[in-house]
Amino acid sequence: GAQEVELIGRSLALNSNIGIFVTMNPGYAGRSNLPDNLKQLFRSVSMSKPDSELISQIMLYTQGFREAKELAKKVVPLFRLCADQLSQCSHYDFGLRALKSVLIGAGNMKRRL
């Protein structure tokens, strides 16, 4: 392969130890699909759904909760219920990012007490 690439008028050396990864989530609010001409430049990789309960358990342990396993078994189904039963408006988010924010907030409150 090429050892150099020209970018914006400058010749740059390529480093074979570096990769560029593009993550797309077009179903998420405000996001769109990658144009076909750019899709051709990247290799597609499918992702599996993360284990929210395990992630929650680890986060709760790191926030100082000793009963993290039991708490994770309760908070994850609560978030699933919220996602299933509450409004389906796109601005309501009960995904992993929101769950993480709640767990960090719980840890902050625990430390204040």
Side-chain angles (χ1 to χ4, degrees), residues 74-87:
K74 293 178 182 180
V75 74
V76 171
L78 172 66
F79 264 71
R80 280 197 197 112
L81 275 172
C82 289
D84 293 343
Q85 308 234 340
L86 296 177
S87 173

Side-chain angles (χ1 to χ4, degrees), residues 66-78:
R66 292 183 184 158
E67 311 82 22
K69 191 171 188 173
E70 295 77 22
L71 290 171
K73 285 182 182 179
K74 293 178 182 180
V75 74
V76 171
L78 172 66

Side-chain angles (χ1 to χ4, degrees), residues 5-107:
V5 66
E6 188 173 323
L7 189 63
I8 315 173
R10 291 178 56 193
S11 184
L12 302 170
L14 294 177
N15 184 337
S16 62
N17 295 318
I18 295 174
I20 297 174
F21 300 89
V22 176
T23 57
M24 299 294 295
N25 190 357
Y28 203 73
R31 307 255 174 99
S32 60
N33 286 320
L34 194 63
D36 288 337
N37 62 334
L38 290 177
K39 275 185 194 175
Q40 296 174 23
L41 301 174
F42 297 96
R43 182 182 307 155
S44 293
V45 177
S46 62
M47 304 287 284
S48 61
K49 191 171 183 177
D51 185 343
S52 297
E53 194 169 306
L54 180 60
I55 292 168
S56 296
Q57 181 181 339
I58 293 166
M59 288 200 63
L60 286 164
Y61 274 127
T62 63
Q63 294 295 324
F65 290 92
R66 292 183 184 158
E67 311 82 22
K69 191 171 188 173
E70 295 77 22
L71 290 171
K73 285 182 182 179
K74 293 178 182 180
V75 74
V76 171
L78 172 66
F79 264 71
R80 280 197 197 112
L81 275 172
C82 289
D84 293 343
Q85 308 234 340
L86 296 177
S87 173
Q88 297 300 311
C89 292
S90 60
H91 58 273
Y92 291 119
D93 181 14
F94 297 102
L96 195 56
R97 189 174 291 141
L99 177 58
K100 181 180 174 188
S101 295
V102 168
L103 299 177
I104 290 171

